[in-house]
């Protein structure tokens, strides 16, 4: 949102009237408790810095998490249950949010914005992203009847497109024509970077497999966009309170998942992701995780002597051009 | 050049002063003998039509030539020498140009613009493109000491970048930032479309191989850009006269090649290429031949039951986005 606002200020004609109203309503700059109040004149600049910082943090966290997972699998010394590990991580993040809140309460006292209790009207939307991820992850077991794991990795790139489309429809934020082109390129570039001699299997995916892949991409995109909507609906609300509730429901749905089957993380990289959602948006998240994927591969070359393919170089080039185009593409008039 | 002019008229600030002067000098619209004089008010529209027509013609010709070559190889009934075939094609095209000229002479009489003889100052540049192609094609025999044929096909995509760079440097025409991005994407997209399990070989190309590939790309790009410069330097000169001289030198250099070794075509798709050079430019030629490559693959699926890879679909998507970006990207202010 801040990102959009910076763009909007550069070119005052670039946002439609109802766009401007909707973001003024959601985003009164003076109510934003997270910017240092001592430097109000630097507001715009510190917005930009904050945005860059959370984007960088998410990129590094995502790639280091991926590298740690590969490392722990390769080392093979610790045999742990992925499901239990995910549940523990959610619980840990929940505890961190609570600890951060206690510090804030001691410093500023309990205010309307940092108190833990919420009205039912506000809290009742918090389970929705976790529930969507649960449904998506349960579908995952059925899709493997139609596609194998490498093909599934390729199909997961449909998430990029679904996130863009839902971002436009649900959050009513606009992307310029160039930014749409950049988004298609991001999807094609990420897929290209993952190509390997067995990738062509994916073209033999039967119709139900395609349908399920599209539904899963929509669920995942919807969960991401919905999280952004929840977090940005109350911009003055302390992010630790928002995270606390997201993790509580993440834990609950992870518990359900443990009862049902072995299960992926409900909320990946929680804190960094919600920071991006609060100070940037789903689009930044998509770019951030794409770059993290490329970064992971490059680091893996040095750490695990992985092999980089020509397809990887091409994909990285395409993703880089996409990032460049996204940054120069102004929102439509 | 016409293409550039149309763009320039859309946005009068988009061309620098010396750009405008240089194309006014080269391109007096009233002296253009190839547009129907009876409809002067439709000049701009028919320019656009002519440009679209030659682009489409080049695309179809290039792909049908490629398909015919595959067909004749597959049928395997006719055993012909590629070198002799090329020489004959050059001779045939030379004859066609001459026949077209004779018709024009009968109709309009011999004028300054359609007479066959040229001053030495004008004709002495005509051998240069053919000579450059000859050097490039001779280098081809040496590069195979470092790379195999599939890797060479991949490296040939460097032509796209070299054409763009030389187009900018030699013809001093500007591409916008978006158009540069589109050009990088075109190169990446074409390469992606050609990926196959053995493509990774290309990354093992030794340093002299890379150097030669770059030199060959520069020679090929230089030949293309030089041909455009020759043809556009005298826009009022009848294109058949220009073609005649290009083919004469094409034949001579093909003869040299026959004496030296088995040899590729000096000038591919001669007439359509020079039409594009006269009414559009090298950039249009590059896009046209790239689309022809994709079209050839699609047609081959139906004709020869070729197999389309996932990489092909990704590459086609990237090339399509590149074309779109090129068309919306305005030249820089």
């Amino acid at each position: 949102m801040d990102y959009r606002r910076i763009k909007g200020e550069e070119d005052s004609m670039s946002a439609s009237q109802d766009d401007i109203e909707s973001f003024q309503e959601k985003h009164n700059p003076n109510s934003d408790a997270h910017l240092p109040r001592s430097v109000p004149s630097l507001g715009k600049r510190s917005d930009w810095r904050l945005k860059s910082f959370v984007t960088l943090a998410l990129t590094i966290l995502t790639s280091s998490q991926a590298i740690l997972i590969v490392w722990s699998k390769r080392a093979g010394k610790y045999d742990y249950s992925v499901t239990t590990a995910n549940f523990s991580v959610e619980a840990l993040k929940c505890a961190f949010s609570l600890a951060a809140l206690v510090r804030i309460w001691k410093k500023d006292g309990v205010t309307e914005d940092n108190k833990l209790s919420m009205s039912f009207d506000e809290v009742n939307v918090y389970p929705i992203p976790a529930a969507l991820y649960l449904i998506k992850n349960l579908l995952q077991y059925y899709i493997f009847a139609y596609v194998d794991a490498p093909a599934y990795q390729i199909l997961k790139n449909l998430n990029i497109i679904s996130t863009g489309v839902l971002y436009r429809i649900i959050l009513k934020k606009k992307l310029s024509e160039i930014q749409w082109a950049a988004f298609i390129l991001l999807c094609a570039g990420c897929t290209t970077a993952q190509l390997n001699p067995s990738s062509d299997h994916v073209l033999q995916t039967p119709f139900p497999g395609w349908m399920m892949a599209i539904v899963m991409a929509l669920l995942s995109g919807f969960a991401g966009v919905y999280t952004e909507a929840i977090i940005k609906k109350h911009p003055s609300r302390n992010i630790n309170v928002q995270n606390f509730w997201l993790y509580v429901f993440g834990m609950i749905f992870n518990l359900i998942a443990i009862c049902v089957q072995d299960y992926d993380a409900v909320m990946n990289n929680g804190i960094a992701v919600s920071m991006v959602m609060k100070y940037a948006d789903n689009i930044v998240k998509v770019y951030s995780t794409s770059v993290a994927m490329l970064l992971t591969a490059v680091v893996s070359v040095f750490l695990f002597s992985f092999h980089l393919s020509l397809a990887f170089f091409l994909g990285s080039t395409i993703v880089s051009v996409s990032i460049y185009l996204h940054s120069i593409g102004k929102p439509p008039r």
Side-chain angles (χ1 to χ4, degrees), chain A residues 162 165 199 310:
Chain A
S162 73
V165 171
S199 307
L310 176 61

Side-chain angles (χ1 to χ4, degrees), chain A residues 1 4 15-20 22-23 26 163-175 180 225 228-229 332:
Chain A
M1 205 61 176
R4 187 74 6 178
S16 75
Q17 195 53 39
D18 69 63
D19 230 3
I20 291 167
S22 80
F23 88 65
K26 290 189 207 156
T163 301
V165 171
L166 292 168
Y167 175 86
R168 174 70 192 88
I169 295 173
I170 296 171
L171 295 177
K172 297 200 174 53
K173 290 200 223 165
K174 284 181 179 154
L175 291 174
W180 276 115
V225 168
E228 183 176 346

Side-chain angles (χ1 to χ4, degrees), chain A residues 130-140 216 219 263:
Chain A
L132 290 170
Y133 277 117
L134 177 67
I135 299 169
K136 192 207 111 188
N137 284 309
L138 292 177
L139 266 178
Q140 195 165 293
M216 284 169 70
L219 284 169
Y263 180 56

Side-chain angles (χ1 to χ4, degrees), chain A residues 142-169:
Chain A
Y142 295 97
I143 200 173
F144 284 126
Y146 302 103
V147 298
D148 55 5
Y152 176 63
Q153 285 300 319
I154 299 266
L155 288 173
K156 264 172 106 173
N157 290 310
L158 288 171
N159 282 2
I160 295 174
I161 301 295
S162 73
T163 301
V165 171
L166 292 168
Y167 175 86
R168 174 70 192 88
I169 295 173

Side-chain angles (χ1 to χ4, degrees), chain A residues 88-329:
Chain A
S88 315
V89 168
E90 290 296 300
L92 202 68
K93 288 190 288 195
C94 202
F96 270 125
S97 302
L98 214 52
L101 275 176
V102 170
R103 260 192 72 199
I104 291 166
W105 290 335
K106 276 188 184 156
K107 202 168 142 248
D108 302 335
V110 179
T111 68
E112 187 59 35
D113 286 341
N114 69 24
K115 66 174 188 188
L116 209 55
S117 63
M118 278 182 184
S119 68
F120 178 74
D121 272 358
E122 194 180 340
V123 87
N124 70 356
V125 291
Y126 278 76
I128 291 173
L132 290 170
Y133 277 117
L134 177 67
I135 299 169
K136 192 207 111 188
N137 284 309
L138 292 177
L139 266 178
Q140 195 165 293
Y141 295 99
Y142 295 97
I143 200 173
F144 284 126
Y146 302 103
V147 298
D148 55 5
Y152 176 63
Q153 285 300 319
I154 299 266
L155 288 173
K156 264 172 106 173
N157 290 310
L158 288 171
N159 282 2
I160 295 174
I161 301 295
S162 73
T163 301
V165 171
L166 292 168
Y167 175 86
R168 174 70 192 88
I169 295 173
I170 296 171
L171 295 177
K172 297 200 174 53
K173 290 200 223 165
K174 284 181 179 154
L175 291 174
S176 70
E177 287 171 355
I178 293 172
Q179 288 179 321
W180 276 115
F183 230 57
I184 295 168
L185 290 172
L186 182 68
C187 182
C190 285
T191 313
T192 302
Q194 294 170 334
L195 282 181
N196 61 57
S198 72
S199 307
D200 279 356
H201 282 317
V202 79
L203 295 177
Q204 272 85 55
T205 305
F207 184 74
W210 279 109
M211 282 296 103
M212 286 175 79
I214 291 168
V215 168
M216 284 169 70
L218 286 172
L219 284 169
S220 165
F222 196 68
V225 168
Y226 208 89
T227 307
E228 183 176 346
I230 289 174
I231 287 180
K232 288 204 172 130
K233 200 176 177 192
H234 298 275
S236 63
R237 175 87 60 224
N238 189 290
I239 195 171
N240 291 300
V241 177
Q242 296 179 317
N243 274 336
F244 175 82
W245 286 105
L246 284 171
Y247 298 145
V248 164
F249 290 108
M251 281 164 67
I252 294 171
F253 282 92
N254 254 318
L255 266 180
I256 298 175
I258 291 177
C259 302
V260 180
Q261 250 166 323
D262 191 46
Y263 180 56
D264 266 2
V266 163
M267 306 291 259
N268 288 313
N269 308 308
I271 293 166
V273 169
S274 20
M275 291 281 276
V276 168
M277 295 297 188
K278 200 168 183 85
Y279 302 113
D281 54 36
N282 263 284
I283 304 298
V284 169
K285 181 187 153 206
V286 166
Y287 275 99
S288 194
T289 45
S290 301
V291 171
M293 180 197 81
L294 302 179
L295 218 64
T296 305
V298 173
V299 172
S300 300
V301 170
F302 296 100
L303 291 181
F304 317 118
S305 55
F306 270 25
H307 160 80
L308 288 187
S309 65
L310 176 61
F312 178 82
F313 288 110
L314 291 168
S316 308
T317 307
I318 296 157
V319 168
S320 308
V321 173
S322 164
I323 292 168
Y324 170 73
L325 286 170
H326 180 80
S327 72
I328 64 165

